[in-house]
Amino acid sequence: MNVFFVFDDGSMTTPPLSGTILPGITRDAIITLARKEGRTVREERYSIDQWRADAASGKLRETFACGTAAVVSAIGRIKSTKGDIVIGNGDGGLITAALKAKLVGIQRGDIADTEGWMRKIG
Ligand SMILES: Cc1ncc(COP(=O)(O)O)c(C=O)c1O
């Protein structure tokens, strides 16, 4: 899966396509949908230490994984021998849920596909 981080100002970060990150179709769709909502989406490296610090300070509000199988799956807690990282209330967040609902809505034909992603089969 790919991963996204959502911050207190509504902006988002996802790791860049620098060789070890798969250019997932879901990653691409999420970037497109978020930018269309007016969100800043950075494609930047984000360290575990920064993840831990931003979760602790509250700057990081949400984290989610995404991919064809997982669609959009909230990450609420990272288990670690250095102490768990708890993101937000540990139970996902509103931006994660809204992006998931939008993507699934487009896939099911309930929300207009303005990007030309959908194809008729047969
Ligand atoms: C390593 C890795 N990253 C990301 C993804 C998600 O890619 P996609 O959104 O195209 O399903 C996958 C899916 O198999 C994967 O194996």
Side-chain angles (χ1 to χ4, degrees):
M1 295 183 286
N2 292 108
V3 66
F4 282 82
F5 304 92
V6 185
F7 297 91
D8 52 359
D9 63 357
S11 69
M12 298 167 54
T13 291
T14 192
L17 302 178
S18 52
T20 56
I21 301 295
L22 193 97
I25 190 72
T26 317
R27 174 187 184 278
D28 196 52
I30 292 290
I31 291 173
T32 299
L33 293 176
R35 286 185 177 152
K36 275 216 142 181
E37 289 179 352
R39 297 187 187 284
T40 297
V41 183
R42 292 171 295 271
E43 296 180 67
E44 283 176 0
R45 290 171 66 100
Y46 189 68
S47 70
I48 293 272
D49 288 342
Q50 195 65 51
W51 190 354
R52 183 183 293 283
D54 289 346
S57 74
K59 180 180 175 192
L60 179 71
R61 292 288 165 82
E62 304 179 25
T63 303
F64 63 85
C66 71
T68 301
V71 191
V72 172
S73 297
I75 299 172
R77 178 185 292 262
I78 300 293
K79 301 291 283 180
S80 165
T81 52
K82 291 186 194 166
D84 291 3
I85 303 174
V86 182
I87 301 112
N89 64 6
D91 200 24
L94 293 178
I95 294 171
T96 299
L99 284 167
K100 179 176 184 176
K102 191 171 275 187
L103 185 59
V104 172
I106 293 169
Q107 290 172 338
R108 291 185 177 159
D110 298 332
I111 295 176
D113 166 30
T114 57
E115 303 300 322
W117 291 334
M118 299 294 281
R119 293 276 186 285
K120 270 219 157 72
I121 298 174

